[in-house]
Amino acid sequence: AVPGPMDSYLGLRGLKTLALRMQKHSENAAAIADWLSAHPKVRHVYFPGLPTHPGHEIAARQMTSFGGMVSFEAGSADEAIAVAERTELFFLAESLGGVESLIEVPGPMTHASVAGSPLEVAPELVRLSVGIEHVDDLIADLDQALR
């Protein structure tokens, strides 16, 4: 496919700030992963930047930062859905990688077709694509959603 002039312009313009956006994306995700790890209603956090992650050592050798994707397990499938519904700053969406923070529950949303198979995703799993908003605001939003 050949992009149009406006698409090309927007792509070139976005490249100018990509490094700054990725840095903030990664910093915010690391702070949220740390915070979630200490939360009593969170059973497990998946983020390669955490020393407890099984792939942490290899990720640390290969990466300068750990990206902006964070997943965690809520207490139950119903609680995972409730958390996603109660957030106010995180958009409920299946897309990833924007400047805004997104939240989804993969089991019933993106991975419903593999339910009951070896590829099934835990129903209590919540996935975040952390954006570049102020991290204190994002943590406050998750805090109220987990209450």
Side-chain angles (χ1 to χ4, degrees):
V2 177
M6 188 61 170
D7 296 321
S8 298
Y9 164 74
L10 291 173
L12 288 171
R13 186 180 73 168
L15 282 175
K16 293 177 182 177
T17 59
L18 179 60
L20 293 171
R21 289 181 282 124
M22 288 304 297
Q23 179 182 353
K24 187 65 172 171
H25 175 59
S26 297
E27 288 172 2
N28 282 356
I32 287 171
D34 285 339
W35 180 82
L36 286 168
S37 294
H39 198 284
K41 288 193 175 180
V42 173
R43 291 192 349 214
H44 189 76
V45 179
Y46 301 93
F47 180 70
L50 293 174
T52 56
H53 190 278
H56 175 74
E57 287 183 29
I58 193 166
R61 286 195 313 267
Q62 294 178 343
M63 304 170 159
T64 55
S65 61
F66 298 99
M69 301 301 304
V70 178
S71 295
F72 66 94
E73 291 180 6
S76 67
D78 289 339
E79 184 60 22
I81 291 169
V83 167
E85 290 175 342
R86 287 192 294 250
T87 59
E88 297 174 7
L89 297 180
F90 286 80
F91 290 100
L92 183 63
E94 296 174 356
S95 178
L96 307 170
V99 296
E100 62 281 332
S101 293
L102 308 176
I103 190 169
E104 74 157 316
V105 182
M109 294 176 70
T110 56
H111 292 71
S113 65
V114 295
S117 81
L119 302 174
E120 182 174 25
V121 175
E124 64 275 5
L125 188 73
V126 177
R127 184 168 69 177
L128 308 174
S129 176
V130 181
I132 63 172
E133 303 93 344
H134 197 286
V135 72
D136 292 346
D137 294 336
L138 296 174
I139 289 173
D141 191 29
L142 289 169
D143 189 38
Q144 66 80 26
L146 282 161
R147 270 189 253 128

